[in-house]
Amino acid sequence: MTEAKVLWQRHYRLPSVIGALDCTQIEIQKPGLHGDEYICRKGYPSINVQATCNALEQFTSISAEWPGSVHDGRVWRNSHVRDIVTEERVIIERCFGQLKRRFPILRNCVRVALNNIPQVVVSCAVLHNIAKYLKDDFEYGDLDSVPNEDDQPGVVRYENPDTTLRGKDKRANMMAYLNIQ
C-alpha cells in the first residue's frame, strides 16, 4: 500500500490514494430473458462494469456482472473494494477510455452470449494490463475523442487503416514468436 501511495503522489499529486474506482456501461444485445433489467439510464442494453486502477493506469480489479439498470452506488456497496479506494474519476475514466480504444468490441455492441460477456470484458482488461506492463506503443491519440457513455450507442466507428496494419503486424509477430500457425 505504501508503494501505491508513492506512485499516486508521484504521478498525480494525490496523497494517501492507493487506487481509483468507477463504473462504465458496456453496450450489449438485449437479452431475451429479463432484458429490461439491462437497459441503462441512457436507454440501451448494457452491462455495468466496475473497475479499480492503479497509478500506472492498470486495472487492479474488475467486475462485469451487473445489469445496466443497476446504479453505480449499488454496485459499489456490494463490492469487496469499497473500503480501500477513492473515486478519482479522471484517472479511471482515462483507463476506461484506453481500454475501449484498444478493444473496440467494448465501445461498440458486444455480440456474444450474455454469460460470456464478463469473461470478454475481464480478458480485455488483462490484455490491457499486459500491454501497459510491456509499454506497448499503442497510440491513443486524443483521449478526448475516445467514445464515452454520452456517445450514441451502436454507432460503428471505423479504425484508421494504418492502425489496422500495425495491429496485423503485431499479431503476426506474436504468432511467429509463439509458433502459432
Side-chain angles (χ1 to χ4, degrees), residues 48-158:
N48 194 345
V49 177
Q50 176 186 272
T52 59
C53 72
N54 61 20
L56 302 174
E57 299 175 348
Q58 296 169 323
F59 292 99
T60 53
S61 73
I62 192 157
S63 173
E65 358 181 288
W66 293 90
S69 66
V70 176
H71 190 274
D72 292 359
R74 181 172 173 205
V75 176
W76 181 75
R77 282 190 304 276
N78 288 286
S79 169
H80 67 284
V81 297
R82 68 175 177 259
D83 296 328
I84 61 169
V85 296
T86 185
E87 186 174 357
E88 185 52 51
R89 291 187 60 116
V90 173
I91 291 117
I92 189 71
E93 291 283 341
R94 179 177 169 83
C95 289
F96 281 137
Q98 291 174 2
L99 182 69
K100 290 179 180 182
R101 177 88 181 210
R102 188 182 295 274
F103 300 101
I105 188 174
L106 299 180
R107 66 177 176 194
N108 296 317
C109 184
V110 178
R111 300 182 192 285
V112 299
L114 183 62
N115 61 328
N116 292 333
I117 292 173
Q119 291 91 336
V120 169
V121 174
V122 171
S123 297
C124 290
V126 168
L127 291 170
H128 168 81
N129 285 354
I130 292 169
K132 293 292 268 185
Y133 176 78
L134 296 174
K135 297 181 178 24
D136 180 38
D137 62 351
F138 184 81
E139 294 179 21
Y140 294 104
D142 181 10
L143 285 176
D144 294 331
S145 67
V146 173
N148 59 38
E149 292 180 12
D150 296 327
D151 290 338
Q152 291 294 321
V155 176
V156 177
R157 294 164 183 89
Y158 295 97

Side-chain angles (χ1 to χ4, degrees), residues 1-11 14-19 54-55 84:
M1 287 181 27
T2 304
E3 183 181 332
K5 289 179 183 181
V6 168
L7 284 173
W8 280 98
Q9 178 67 33
R10 184 180 307 142
H11 288 273
L14 294 170
S16 300
V17 173
I18 61 170
N54 61 20
I84 61 169

